[in-house]
Structures are given as C-alpha cells and as structure tokens.
C-alpha cells in the first residue's frame, strides 16, 4: 500500500493582492497547486474582485515543477513557501529553486 504525506508544506505568505484567495498577504485557499504546464505559476490563482476562502492553514497540495529542488514525487518538501508576482507579472512560487 502506498503511503501518503499528510504533512503538506504551508504557505508562509502570498503577496499577490489581485488573487481572490489573498487577504492581508495571507493565502486563504485550502490548498494550492504550484506549476501550470511546466511553468512556475500558481495554478490556483483566481482573479475575481471578491475575496473568498477561510483556510486556517493553507498548504501546497501539489507541485508540478519537476525541476524544483523542493519537489519529490509532486510533493513540495520546502519548510514553507512564499507566493508572489514575478517581474513579468506572473503569479509564481518565490521559493522555487532549480534542481
């Protein structure tokens, strides 16, 4: 039987003010997906004007960035992540580190 990692990586902070799950630099999505077709994007970003969510402990549910040193079997192993906006305006994982 396969084991499941129930200690998922917490989201330390998110500075993406345009995301509906962000309130006071804090992510309120229950879980996020990092990576969007191989790009370092937050796959959970939602740009609605109304703020939603109330997750007390948001986590990285999955990481699709195979080339990140924190990725093991699609699970983030960093102690915590920070999400933010890149210079190009994309919402991404600022904790990403190339393997």
């Amino acid at each position: 039987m396969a084991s499941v990692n129930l200690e998922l990586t917490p989201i330390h902070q998110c500075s993406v003010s345009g995301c509906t799950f962000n309130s006071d630099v804090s992510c309120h999505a229950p879980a996020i997906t990092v990576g969007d077709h191989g790009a370092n994007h937050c796959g959970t970003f939602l740009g609605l004007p109304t703020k939603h969510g109330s997750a007390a402990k948001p986590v990285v549910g999955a990481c699709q960035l195979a080339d990140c040193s924190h990725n093991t079997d699609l699970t983030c192993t960093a102690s915590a992540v920070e999400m933010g906006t890149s210079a190009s305006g994309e919402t991404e994982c600022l904790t990403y580190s190339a393997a």
Side-chain angles (χ1 to χ4, degrees), residues 30-89:
I32 66 167
T33 297
V34 175
D36 182 19
H37 303 289
N40 181 9
H41 297 159
C42 179
T44 311
F45 172 83
L46 190 57
L48 298 175
T50 305
K51 298 294 182 179
H52 291 280
S54 60
K57 296 180 181 180
V59 296
V60 178
C63 177
Q64 299 177 11
L65 300 175
D67 65 340
C68 182
S69 64
H70 302 293
N71 184 334
T72 302
D73 296 327
L74 302 177
T75 300
C76 181
T77 60
S79 59
V81 299
E82 293 189 23
M83 304 303 292
T85 305
S86 68
S88 65

